[in-house]
């Protein structure tokens, strides 16, 4: 029987604190935002300790991200031929990334911490391209703390708006959805005209 992250989080309050810590760390490492929102919901409901949840989320996400960097470092330059990085090599951005990783690589790591879908490639690429370990560690730790605070704040705002002003929240969600659609269409048009 395979348990989903949602099912694990639902049963989390029944486990002892050490098991809770482990389950939160593992689920937040692999499903980051989904797990964090679920765990923080349990914290708000008083079913899980805030300190335990924050430490587990931090450890789970940070250790996985350090593992991605170390995996890239271990794989070395031959990993640039992998399918994951092929698009960077084909469109010429790999050379630019390699030049900048020493000076500004920390910026890419910090930004990708907040952009789902970019983390795997950027964190592994940081190791492959030889970013200094101490620079990577400081960046990933600092950006993870900021990311956690932002997710907590956003969750709190959404819950309060859902309770006090559900119509305004629905309007904001619709406006955000329309904005994303317009942005994606504009991006596709720009891409087609560049070809």
């Amino acid at each position: 029987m395979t348990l989903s992250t949602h099912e694990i989080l639902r049963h989390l309050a029944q486990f002892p604190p050490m098991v809770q810590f482990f389950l939160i760390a593992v689920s937040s490492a692999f499903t980051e935002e989904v797990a964090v929102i679920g765990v923080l919901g349990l914290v708000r409901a008083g079913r899980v300790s805030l300190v335990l949840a924050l430490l587990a989320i931090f450890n789970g996400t940070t250790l996985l991200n350090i593992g991605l960097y170390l995996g890239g470092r271990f794989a070395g330059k031959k990993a640039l031929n992998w399918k994951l990085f092929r698009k960077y090599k084909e469109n010429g951005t790999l050379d630019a990334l390699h030049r900048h990783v020493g000076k500004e690589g920390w910026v890419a790591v910090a930004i990708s911490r907040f952009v789902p879908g970019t983390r795997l490639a950027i964190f592994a690429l940081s190791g492959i391209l030889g970013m200094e370990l101490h620079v990577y560690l400081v960046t990933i730790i600092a950006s993870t703390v900021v990311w956690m605070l932002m997710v907590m704040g956003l969750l709190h705002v959404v819950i309060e708006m859902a309770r006090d002003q559900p119509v305004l929240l629905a309007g904001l969600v619709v406006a955000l959805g329309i904005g994303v659609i317009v942005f994606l269409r504009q991006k596709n048009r720009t891409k087609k005209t560049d070809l």
Side-chain angles (χ1 to χ4, degrees):
M1 178 171 117
T2 306
L3 289 177
S4 69
T5 300
H6 176 70
E7 291 168 327
I8 291 171
L9 293 175
R10 195 175 44 157
H11 297 294
L12 191 62
Q14 300 167 3
F15 294 110
M18 287 305 292
V19 176
Q20 288 179 347
F21 181 90
F22 177 76
L23 292 174
I24 292 170
V26 169
S27 66
S28 62
F30 293 105
T31 60
E32 296 190 340
E33 281 80 7
V34 174
V36 170
I37 290 169
V39 169
L40 293 176
L42 291 172
V43 168
R44 283 184 60 92
R47 300 186 70 193
V48 175
S49 158
L50 176 63
V51 172
L52 182 137
L54 293 177
L55 288 174
I57 291 167
F58 176 80
N59 282 306
T61 57
T62 303
L63 290 176
L64 176 73
N65 296 332
I66 291 171
L68 290 169
Y69 168 87
L70 293 174
R73 196 69 178 241
F74 178 75
K77 302 274 188 205
K78 64 182 177 236
L80 297 175
N81 296 322
W82 295 350
K83 184 178 181 181
L84 175 65
F85 301 113
R86 198 171 299 141
K87 67 178 178 182
Y88 296 112
K89 204 170 189 178
E90 290 170 357
N91 67 16
T93 59
L94 190 59
D95 292 331
L97 284 171
H98 196 277
R99 282 193 308 274
H100 295 293
V101 80
K103 293 193 302 188
E104 300 123 2
W106 66 273
V107 174
V109 170
I111 291 171
S112 67
R113 173 68 259 176
F114 299 92
V115 183
T118 63
R119 297 174 188 144
L120 176 66
I122 297 298
F123 297 164
L125 200 56
S126 298
I128 292 167
L129 296 177
M131 176 184 278
E132 295 290 329
L133 178 60
H134 69 279
V135 172
Y136 182 83
L137 289 175
V138 168
T139 304
I140 203 65
I141 289 169
S143 60
T144 298
V145 169
V146 173
W147 170 78
M148 287 172 53
L149 294 173
M150 286 181 59
V151 171
M152 287 172 45
L154 182 61
L155 180 65
H156 178 73
V157 167
V158 168
I159 289 171
E160 292 301 316
M161 283 185 77
R163 184 180 311 142
D164 298 337
Q165 300 174 343
V167 174
L168 178 60
L169 179 62
L172 289 173
V173 168
V174 168
L176 180 64
I178 291 170
V180 168
I181 291 169
V182 168
F183 173 77
L184 291 175
R185 285 186 178 171
Q186 184 64 32
K187 186 176 175 183
N188 285 338
R189 282 188 206 136
T190 304
K191 204 180 273 188
K192 287 178 184 177
T193 59
D194 289 343
L195 297 176

